[in-house]
Amino acid sequence: MDFEEMYRLYFRDVYLFILAMSRSPDTADEITQETFFKALKNSGKYRGECSVRTWLFQIAKNTYLSHLKKQKHIDDNADPSAPGYDEASPQDLESACIRKDEALSIYKVLHYLEEPYKEVFTLRTLGELSFREIGEIFGRGEGWARVNYHRAKLKIQEMIKEVP
């Protein structure tokens, strides 16, 4: 597969993967571009032990983690749900506020959830990755990803009960 084809096939997946982790379109765009640059630069290192998509996700994840280390902080004020309030009716606004409050509770809980549970849960729910793909990203098996996702859900449910 040539680079242009890889870019065309996987750009959107990599972008959405990073967007799910960062909750920032600007960051997702920047990291996605850097991911493909690194993939082009290191294409000879791809050994075919996993799918190209998984390989790109591994590069993207490592690039994003490096980006966070450079920043030395995570923007907790990022708004993951920005509904179009301009045209919304009062009922739509009320529903949007309820959804936003629910999402905020989940994000608060996720902020305190320890690793690898936080990342496995985020990759599965927001990144829409399969358990096999998550396992590959961590260098583990599908079963490991399933168990950690299940544990993450249980921990989130316990923590949500405690959130006021």
Side-chain angles (χ1 to χ4, degrees), residues 104-113 156 159-160 163:
L104 185 59
S105 293
I106 292 171
Y107 284 120
K108 282 181 183 177
V109 168
L110 278 175
H111 180 73
Y112 294 103
L113 191 63
I156 289 169
M159 293 169 81
I160 285 178
V163 173

Side-chain angles (χ1 to χ4, degrees), residues 82-128:
Y85 290 113
D86 295 340
E87 309 91 29
S89 69
Q91 294 82 9
D92 291 342
L93 287 173
E94 184 178 339
S95 297
C97 288
I98 291 169
R99 283 193 310 274
K100 186 174 180 179
D101 286 344
E102 290 171 353
L104 185 59
S105 293
I106 292 171
Y107 284 120
K108 282 181 183 177
V109 168
L110 278 175
H111 180 73
Y112 294 103
L113 191 63
E114 65 270 11
E115 295 295 349
Y117 305 118
K118 179 194 305 190
E119 191 168 357
V120 169
F121 184 82
T122 302
L123 292 174
R124 179 68 180 167
T125 56
L126 301 176
E128 299 179 359

